[in-house]
Amino acid sequence: MTVPARADIAYPGVAGGRTLRGLRDPVDPHVIVLFGATGDLSRRKLLPGLTYLALSSLTPDIQIVGTSLDELSDEEFRNFAHEAVMKFGTRPLTDEQWDDFAQKLHYVPQSAGPEALGRAVKESEERLGDMFRRLHYLSVPPKAAVAVITMLRDAGLVDRARVVMEKPFGTDLRSAVELNRTVHETFSEDQIFRIDHFLGKEPALNILAFRFANGLFEPIWNRNFIDHVQIDVPEVLGLDNRADFYEATGAYKDMVVTHLFQIMAFVAMEPPTALEPRAISEEKNKVFRSLMTISPSEVVRGQYAGYRQEQGVSADSDTETFIALKAGIDNWRWAGVPFYLRTGKRMAEGMRIISIAFREAPRAMFPQGSGVATEGPDHLTFDLADTAKVSLSFYGKRPGPGMRLEKLSMQFSTEETDRVGDVLEAYERLMLDAMWGDHTLFTTAEGIESLWERSTHVLEDPPPVKTYAPGSWVPNAIHQLIAPRAWRLPFERAWRDPNLYG
């Protein structure tokens, strides 16, 4: 199924002209309607994040209306939120600060219907004055998204509103097209923010800064100097009580389309004409349009031993809990450069790594046994953890007589700077950007449809799953996939401990 690009959904515009990241007016007063307010994501990330944003100078004027299937009063919801913030919040909070935030919290059971929700939102808007906006956060299962959109329409909460949607955005091309069309019946594309928390992390933006602000790296960021790219996101966690969701989704739909391909776009995109949402979205979508169709013969699927015994999992399940694949981008910059993507559950380590492997230099001048080319190519490595580490490995001379080489590295981490306290958690950044109306870190309807179209073959004819032991680096077939190259993880050299260097 081929779907032509639609001009009405391609690149969200910026009302009022160009908006540059980092040069911002204050955020307008907002009423945030939090669907799924008593769910796990809300408890772990959204409520702690909103607490910090509301008590900071970033979003001082907000009101929060929570709604979910649970029958709670305002006070009961505040108690729930207090427990969540105390358990999962990452910043200290005084009793006075909590009392201030608690007054911003309100609750309407979903069973009360759209009229009750509309009244609660309008009461909160009256507390903010005239210059308010609405942010609707859909922290709900994807199958419930359309019902929530309908409820917002019936409650009269579409005007001056933006809506944040959680992945996955469909499960194949047909369902993604249908979902986009249904949502567009109520909200325009510039109102929709499809969230990917990977791109909300500080290191994701650092990729743009690293590439486009430094004359040292952008000239070599192409097929002439780069041999291959790896994007590696192993996880140690299992299903985490999400069997119903995972059985219908699997690692490819859950992680590759909505996370790893999005990271790949930041690595592979051309320089945007300006540091603004529309220009960046356009370059990301060009990458997705240039992505070659994923071939089932270049995909390895795995399932950890014991998965079929998990509660809620079918005894003959074919769902993959691990996937590795080879992707190609058919354009002038990247033709012939393979991108290797890997992610899975119950693996040996939990990491988020991007490795850029450079082509090796001629080595004829170095004598046999010098050590050159024994430890693989030079790598530029981004660690997408909140500490935002970057490492550049290279061969250097070992101290002492003779010419003996070994791999050395230059490393950086935000932990080593005096601005580490300014780092925003991913959901904090993304909620703030949605309130600003900045689509830079969000995907578009065209982008997501392009990715599903290029995934059609592997979804319709997936290779069989191979069993792997929990706590391992998974099926041996991944080595054939990348040969004659090698996977960057597990690392042979540890990251430098910044505490050892003053």
Side-chain angles (χ1 to χ4, degrees):
M1 178 179 180
T2 300
V3 178
R6 305 203 296 275
D8 62 319
I9 67 171
Y11 312 119
V14 180
R18 180 173 296 179
T19 299
L20 298 181
R21 297 190 58 86
L23 303 176
R24 297 293 182 77
D25 294 328
V27 173
D28 291 330
H30 269 75
V31 175
I32 299 171
V33 183
L34 186 55
F35 289 86
T38 59
D40 193 57
L41 177 61
S42 175
R43 189 168 63 101
R44 291 175 178 270
K45 295 294 184 180
L46 303 182
L47 288 170
L50 287 170
T51 303
Y52 171 70
L53 293 177
L55 295 175
S56 72
S57 61
L58 297 171
T59 60
D61 298 321
I62 65 172
Q63 294 282 312
I64 300 166
V65 178
T67 182
S68 75
L69 299 177
D70 294 310
E71 301 286 334
L72 301 178
S73 65
D74 281 5
E75 194 59 36
E76 288 171 327
F77 179 55
R78 289 166 183 163
N79 291 337
F80 171 87
H82 183 259
E83 181 181 340
V85 171
M86 292 299 104
K87 183 173 183 179
F88 297 108
T90 58
R91 298 175 176 88
L93 191 68
T94 66
D95 291 342
E96 182 179 359
Q97 287 174 319
W98 170 254
D99 291 340
D100 183 30
F101 178 69
Q103 299 309 307
K104 303 175 186 292
L105 294 173
H106 316 280
Y107 188 82
V108 179
Q110 209 157 321
S111 60
E115 295 82 5
L117 179 63
R119 284 194 303 271
V121 171
K122 288 177 172 57
E123 289 172 3
S124 292
E125 291 168 351
E126 291 172 0
R127 301 182 183 100
L128 296 175
D130 296 331
M131 300 300 294
F132 63 84
R133 282 190 171 273
R134 300 160 177 160
L135 182 69
H136 307 307
Y137 198 114
L138 275 58
S139 178
V140 297
K143 61 185 178 183
V146 172
V148 170
I149 296 294
T150 301
M151 186 175 189
L152 289 170
R153 182 196 63 201
D154 294 344
L157 299 177
V158 176
D159 294 338
R160 303 187 70 175
R162 300 179 178 114
V163 57
V164 179
M165 299 183 65
E166 284 282 344
K167 53 100 173 174
F169 315 112
T171 56
D172 55 18
L173 177 59
R174 187 177 299 278
S175 62
V177 170
E178 183 59 32
L179 176 62
N180 285 329
R181 286 179 175 160
T182 300
V183 175
H184 286 149
E185 291 173 1
T186 302
F187 290 96
S188 61
E189 180 65 14
D190 67 322
Q191 293 178 284
I192 302 168
F193 292 75
R194 299 168 187 83
I195 196 167
D196 172 13
H197 70 273
F198 275 40
L199 294 187
K201 293 179 176 294
E202 191 77 22
L205 287 171
N206 209 26
I207 295 172
L208 297 184
F210 195 94
R211 284 192 57 190
F212 301 130
N214 296 291
L216 177 62
F217 291 102
E218 180 55 24
I220 63 171
W221 208 265
N222 56 59
R223 59 190 172 89
N224 296 320
F225 297 93
I226 292 177
D227 179 77
H228 71 279
V229 177
Q230 295 183 34
I231 301 174
D232 217 343
V233 186
E235 297 182 294
V236 296
L237 297 176
L239 295 189
D240 200 22
N241 299 317
R242 298 167 70 225
D244 289 345
F245 166 79
Y246 208 81
E247 267 290 87
T249 308
Y252 188 87
K253 297 177 182 178
D254 182 38
M255 292 291 292
V256 176
V257 175
T258 51
H259 290 324
L260 274 63
F261 280 151
Q262 304 300 324
I263 296 171
M264 184 188 73
F266 266 30
V267 174
M269 63 188 279
E270 296 296 318
T273 55
L275 197 61
E276 63 176 7
R278 180 185 178 95
I280 292 174
S281 292
E282 182 174 2
E283 296 305 334
K284 288 166 59 181
N285 284 345
K286 286 181 182 177
V287 173
F288 299 146
R289 291 197 295 270
S290 300
L291 178 65
M292 300 171 71
T293 299
I294 306 301
S295 169
S297 65
E298 295 181 325
V299 173
V300 175
R301 297 168 70 237
Q303 186 184 90
Y304 66 77
Y307 172 78
R308 296 177 182 178
Q309 284 72 53
E310 299 269 15
Q311 185 174 357
V313 173
S314 171
D316 59 352
S317 174
D318 187 53
T319 300
E320 78 278 355
T321 61
F322 166 88
I323 194 152
L325 63 93
K326 177 182 177 182
I329 299 174
D330 189 16
N331 63 21
W332 279 82
R333 183 181 291 264
W334 296 111
V337 177
F339 285 72
Y340 297 101
L341 281 58
R342 175 172 65 164
T343 186
K345 300 286 189 185
R346 300 289 299 276
M347 293 178 66
E349 293 183 51
M351 302 188 77
R352 298 179 176 93
I353 298 294
I354 303 170
S355 289
I356 315 294
F358 295 100
R359 294 191 182 277
E360 295 193 61
R363 52 187 99 136
M365 65 175 283
F366 293 97
Q368 189 76 19
S370 66
V372 70
T374 58
E375 298 183 62
D378 299 337
H379 280 87
L380 176 64
T381 304
F382 295 89
D383 186 341
L384 296 187
D386 291 331
T387 49
K389 296 175 181 176
V390 181
S391 174
L392 178 62
S393 70
F394 57 94
Y395 283 101
K397 181 185 177 301
R398 180 185 297 177
M403 179 60 80
R404 178 68 180 172
L405 305 181
E406 63 182 357
K407 264 296 170 70
L408 307 174
S409 68
M410 293 185 289
Q411 298 186 7
F412 161 81
S413 170
T414 53
E415 288 183 329
E416 301 171 2
T417 73
D418 58 1
R419 304 302 297 269
V420 65
D422 294 341
V423 174
L424 291 176
E425 197 276 332
Y427 282 98
E428 294 170 356
R429 180 188 304 279
L430 292 170
M431 286 189 288
L432 183 62
D433 279 2
M435 283 185 257
W436 260 315
D438 186 339
H439 281 84
T440 300
L441 300 177
F442 300 84
T443 192
T444 65
E446 182 195 341
I448 202 69
E449 289 176 13
S450 293
L451 292 175
W452 283 123
E453 181 176 3
R454 283 145 185 82
S455 302
T456 298
H457 291 173
V458 75
L459 295 178
E460 292 180 348
D461 185 26
V465 294
K466 301 176 183 295
T467 303
Y468 63 92
S472 71
W473 284 103
V474 292
N476 287 331
I478 64 172
H479 302 299
Q480 284 78 54
L481 176 69
I482 201 171
R485 304 171 179 94
W487 290 100
R488 182 79 166 134
L489 291 178
F491 283 138
E492 295 179 0
R493 291 172 296 280
W495 286 99
R496 185 183 74 224
D497 184 352
N499 297 320
L500 297 179
Y501 300 87

